[in-house]
């Protein structure tokens, strides 16, 4: 069973730990660099990316996080976690930093006021049997992606609005705008656990 950390600076850490355990991983919170060094993969939860950025800097975790991403550790980010994995963000706070790793531009709070929170069925690549129930809470969207990024899900266009990218993968990095940890459907976490298992096997 792979050991998967959940970045526990802020956000919905517990929900991810439960979803990971149900997807057959050993889940544990990560707050310090020594704890980060001990995990095979990491989830960056939903929450508030500006606060997470502050705390990652204050706890001296930003550089260790970047180093492990560069070394190929699998990371899954949901919502604020997606923002943390973006190489570039829009509508961030001026001093906000990200871990980066996915060649994408992510817009914070993109769905706007009237749509601050909503739910929608999402067709997700690889889960063709049944759509994923997407819970969006002040969610970001992916504004654009580089050539090496695979788009896994898009929110269909509604009322003249453009369709929007809401799930992506680049190598060992996975990100969703929405929160599968809140729905009891653990297919996205199970996908991530398989990614971590493959990375562990490739290392051995
Ligand atoms: N709006 C939050 C941010 O910018 C993300 C919201 C969430 O994670 N549910 O970090």
């Amino acid at each position: 069973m792979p050991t998967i950390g959940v970045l526990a600076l802020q956000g919905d850490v517990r929900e991810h730990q439960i979803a990971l355990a149900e997807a057959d991983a050993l889940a544990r919170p990560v707050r310090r660099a020594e704890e980060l060094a001990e995990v095979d993969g990491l989830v960056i939860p939903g929450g508030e990316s500006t606060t997470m950025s502050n705390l990652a800097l204050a706890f001296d975790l930003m550089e260790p996080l970047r180093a492990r991403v560069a070394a190929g550790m699998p990371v899954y980010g949901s919502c604020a976690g997606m923002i943390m994995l973006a190489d570039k963000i829009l509508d961030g706070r001026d001093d906000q930093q990200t871990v980066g790793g996915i060649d994408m531009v992510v817009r914070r709070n993109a769905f706007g006021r009237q749509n601050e929170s909503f739910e929608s069925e999402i067709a997700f690549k690889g889960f063709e049997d049944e759509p994923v129930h997407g819970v969006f809470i002040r969610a970001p969207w992916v504004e654009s992606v580089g050539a090496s990024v695979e788009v896994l899900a898009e929110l269909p266009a509604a009322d003249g609005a453009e369709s929007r990218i809401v799930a992506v993968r680049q190598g060992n990095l996975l990100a969703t705008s929405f929160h599968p940890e809140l729905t009891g459907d653990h297919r996205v976490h199970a996908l991530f656990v398989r990614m971590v298992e493959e990375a562990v096997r490739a290392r051995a």
Side-chain angles (χ1 to χ4, degrees):
M1 218 186 251
T3 302
I4 301 184
V6 181
L7 187 66
L9 301 173
Q10 188 266 338
D12 69 337
V13 176
R14 254 181 62 86
E15 288 78 359
H16 277 288
Q17 283 188 244
I18 292 166
L20 286 168
E22 287 182 3
D24 292 327
L26 214 62
R28 51 158 89 154
V30 166
R31 286 187 195 85
R32 296 179 300 122
E34 303 79 71
E35 293 165 337
L36 178 64
E38 288 168 0
V39 296
D40 301 315
L42 184 74
V43 169
I44 306 183
E48 178 46 55
S49 59
T50 53
T51 310
M52 249 182 244
S53 161
N54 285 345
L55 293 173
L57 291 166
F59 283 59
D60 290 325
L61 266 173
M62 198 62 100
E63 285 312 322
L65 283 166
R66 288 176 182 148
R68 290 237 35 207
V69 166
M73 175 181 68
V75 184
Y76 165 44
S78 76
C79 204
M82 168 187 260
I83 296 169
M84 291 292 279
L85 286 176
D87 280 350
K88 191 166 186 296
I89 58 176
L90 299 174
D91 296 336
R93 215 178 47 199
D94 285 349
D95 62 345
Q96 181 173 359
Q97 294 192 25
T98 70
V99 174
I102 302 184
D103 179 13
M104 62 178 173
V105 180
V106 166
R107 186 180 291 280
R108 277 183 71 222
N109 303 335
F111 290 98
R113 287 216 132 193
Q114 280 163 33
N115 243 338
E116 282 207 335
S117 296
F118 62 99
E119 303 187 9
S120 181
E121 301 306 308
I122 311 284
F124 198 104
K125 206 166 174 182
F127 307 144
E128 274 77 22
D129 287 355
E130 212 187 309
V132 169
H133 186 71
V135 177
F136 294 80
I137 304 167
R138 286 173 59 77
W141 69 45
V142 181
E143 191 103 1
S144 61
V145 294
S148 42
V149 178
E150 184 186 10
V151 172
L152 297 178
E154 283 182 72
L155 189 75
D159 320 328
E162 272 177 69
S163 69
R164 297 294 180 183
I165 300 169
V166 292
V168 295
R169 176 173 177 179
Q170 180 178 357
N172 281 338
L173 305 176
L174 177 71
T176 62
S177 299
F178 50 90
H179 293 269
E181 72 278 13
L182 300 180
T183 62
D185 172 358
H186 301 315
R187 285 177 295 170
V188 174
H189 288 80
L191 164 67
F192 181 62
V193 172
R194 285 198 299 278
M195 287 168 59
V196 176
E197 283 168 347
E198 270 160 37
V200 169
R201 260 201 304 276
R203 222 171 43 209

